[in-house]
């Protein structure tokens, strides 16, 4: 029996060494579900509100007139007749931010007289601004474009006076092409 003890000890030691070399099977990365708290801090919401705050900063409303504001769908700079979920989402957020800032923002989707192209939203191009704005007694129209690039999507906003199509204020900013922005850029 005494000679079995060293052999058993050696076998046990070898088993321990081999057990230390065995890797556990890889586990799939755990996906964390978003929470209501994280949704309230969503960067896209904050960047849209900040963009409107900067656009309106120092705005002299005596130059624009007392009428309401229309918000056009933000369109793709490469095809002004086309938008994407990103452009429609930005437009909705801009309209809300302007209303929260005290502007009289008309919801033109509720109006039957305004042509709303399915899949593109309210497209107000420069040649249409004056007629549509006059019909709604709007003194200003918020128009914008987005331009997707490799790492960022560039957004350009303009507040246009309807009586003479003069740009009253402008603001440019960029969005990182993260997973959310990339998904919102796909035309639907």
């Amino acid at each position: 029996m005494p000679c079995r003890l060293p052999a058993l000890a050696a076998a046990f030691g070898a088993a321990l060494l081999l057990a230390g070399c065995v890797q556990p099977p890889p586990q799939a990365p755990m996906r964390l579900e978003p929470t209501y708290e994280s949704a309230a801090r969503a960067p896209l919401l904050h960047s849209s509100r900040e963009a409107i705050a900067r656009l309106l900063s120092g705005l002299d409303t005596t130059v624009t007139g007392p009428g309401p504001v229309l918000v056009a769908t933000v369109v793709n700079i490469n095809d002004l007749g086309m938008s994407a979920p990103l452009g429609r989402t930005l437009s909705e957020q801009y309209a809300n931010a302007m209303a929260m800032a005290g502007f009289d923002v008309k919801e033109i989707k509720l109006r039957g007289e305004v042509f709303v192209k399915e899949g593109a939203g309210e497209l107000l191009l420069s040649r249409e601004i004056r007629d549509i704005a006059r019909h709604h007694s709007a003194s200003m129209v918020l128009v914008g474009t987005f331009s997707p690039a490799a790492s960022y999507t560039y957004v350009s906003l303009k507040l246009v006076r309807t009586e003479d199509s003069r740009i009253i204020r402008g603001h440019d900013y960029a969005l990182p092409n993260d997973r959310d922005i990339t998904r919102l850029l796909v035309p639907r």
Side-chain angles (χ1 to χ4, degrees):
M1 239 271 196
C3 57
R4 281 187 159 184
L5 190 56
L8 224 93
F12 182 70
L16 282 177
L17 280 175
L18 287 175
C21 294
V22 174
Q23 299 277 330
Q27 294 181 356
M30 193 167 92
R31 183 177 187 276
L32 297 177
E33 291 294 321
T35 64
Y36 287 98
E37 292 80 20
S38 65
R41 295 186 309 272
L44 182 59
L45 293 173
H46 292 284
S47 69
S48 294
R49 291 179 193 139
E50 177 66 22
I52 292 300
R54 287 180 183 244
L55 180 75
L56 300 177
S57 176
L59 176 66
D60 181 6
T61 53
T62 61
V63 174
T64 60
V69 178
L70 300 178
V71 177
T73 298
V74 177
V75 294
N76 187 326
I77 191 74
N78 297 314
D79 182 356
L80 298 178
M82 185 64 184
S83 189
L86 177 65
R88 295 187 294 276
T89 300
L90 290 173
S91 299
E92 293 293 323
Q93 292 175 0
Y94 297 154
N96 289 341
M98 289 190 75
M100 288 171 31
F103 284 83
D104 179 13
V105 179
K106 290 269 190 160
E107 177 61 81
I108 60 176
K109 286 193 300 289
L110 299 178
R111 307 268 180 203
E113 314 84 49
V114 176
F115 174 70
V116 180
K117 181 178 175 184
E118 187 176 335
E122 310 80 44
L123 298 173
L124 296 179
L125 306 177
S126 59
R127 66 184 175 274
E128 301 166 329
I129 289 175
R130 202 172 299 164
D131 292 337
I132 295 172
R134 188 178 307 123
H135 182 75
H136 292 281
S137 303
S139 61
M140 295 183 290
V141 177
L142 177 65
V143 296
T145 58
F146 64 86
S147 180
S151 298
Y152 301 98
T153 293
Y154 298 95
V155 181
S156 181
L157 298 176
K158 294 175 182 74
L159 200 52
V160 179
R161 187 168 58 192
T162 56
E163 73 180 49
D164 58 4
S165 298
R166 182 174 155 227
I167 298 171
I168 302 299
R169 303 282 297 164
H171 178 65
D172 300 316
Y173 70 106
L175 299 168
N177 287 343
D178 61 14
R179 189 170 61 190
D180 284 347
I181 298 300
T182 301
R183 182 172 222 168
L184 288 170
L185 282 169
V186 177
R188 288 182 220 146

